[in-house]
Amino acid sequence: MTDRTAGDMHGSAAKAADGAEELRDQIERTRGELGDTVAELMEKADLKGRAMARAADLKDKAGAMTVQLRSSAAQAGHAMQDRATRAGHVVQDRATKAGHTVQDRATRAGHTVQDRASRAGHTVQGKATEAGHAAEHGAPRPVRTVIRAGLRHPRPVLVAGAAVGALVAASVLRRRRGGRRR
């Protein structure tokens, strides 16, 4: 054998060794890829496992949604309670103001009536005094003594006058009723 042939063989053997090594590496990669593919196919074929995993996901999502809905409902309830409380306070304030307004008006009306009654009482008292003085000067002496006593103590005279007025009014009413029945 020649050097060239031995060198060629040595080169061919080296190439063959390199080729065998490369072939082994390729076989290992193909086995790994095949193993991954088989695992993926097994996962896809495991319908029960996939269904259970999906059910667990849906259960988790439903639980989270329930918590969120409860929280939203609680917040809405608090908001409505706050609004109702504020509305109640507004109504209460308005009612209080209205009550004060009515009370003020009633007080003013009462004062007005009281002032008018006081003025009317003073007017009547003044006229009664004038009439008493006129009657005193033009009346006989025994009547003047009674009039002077009435002027010194007007209350009993006013009470007696009111009683006489009530009797006259009752008499007039009886006559009117008696006249209508016939």
Side-chain angles (χ1 to χ4, degrees):
M1 274 200 181
T2 62
D3 283 337
R4 194 170 191 211
T5 313
D8 282 339
M9 283 173 82
H10 186 359
S12 293
K15 280 185 185 178
D18 285 342
E21 188 67 33
E22 192 176 313
L23 189 57
R24 280 188 210 111
D25 288 342
Q26 191 176 13
I27 289 171
E28 282 300 314
R29 279 194 305 266
T30 303
R31 278 186 187 158
E33 289 173 5
L34 185 60
D36 291 342
T37 303
V38 168
E40 286 177 17
L41 286 172
M42 285 178 60
E43 277 183 33
K44 288 182 180 179
D46 184 18
L47 293 177
K48 182 179 178 183
R50 285 178 45 202
M52 289 176 65
R54 179 73 175 144
D57 285 346
L58 290 174
K59 184 178 178 183
D60 289 344
K61 285 181 182 178
M65 194 175 290
T66 300
V67 168
Q68 184 179 5
L69 288 173
R70 284 183 180 166
S71 174
S72 296
Q75 287 175 347
H78 289 303
M80 291 305 294
Q81 186 177 12
D82 290 344
R83 287 180 187 162
T85 300
R86 277 188 251 124
H89 288 182
V90 168
V91 168
Q92 186 177 13
D93 290 345
R94 288 181 182 170
T96 299
K97 287 177 185 175
H100 287 287
T101 301
V102 168
Q103 186 177 11
D104 290 344
R105 288 180 182 169
T107 300
R108 278 189 252 130
H111 287 166
T112 301
V113 169
Q114 188 177 12
D115 289 345
R116 288 181 183 169
S118 178
R119 278 189 241 130
H122 285 27
T123 302
V124 168
Q125 186 179 7
K127 288 184 179 181
T129 302
E130 286 176 22
H133 287 301
E136 181 182 359
H137 294 293
R141 183 167 259 166
V143 174
R144 278 191 231 163
T145 307
V146 172
I147 292 174
R148 282 187 191 138
L151 289 173
R152 280 191 301 260
H153 305 289
R155 212 173 256 165
V157 173
L158 289 175
V159 171
V164 169
L167 288 173
V168 169
S171 174
V172 169
L173 286 175
R174 259 193 237 134
R175 284 186 194 160
R176 285 187 182 170
R177 286 187 188 155
R180 288 185 190 159
R181 288 185 183 167
R182 292 180 191 173

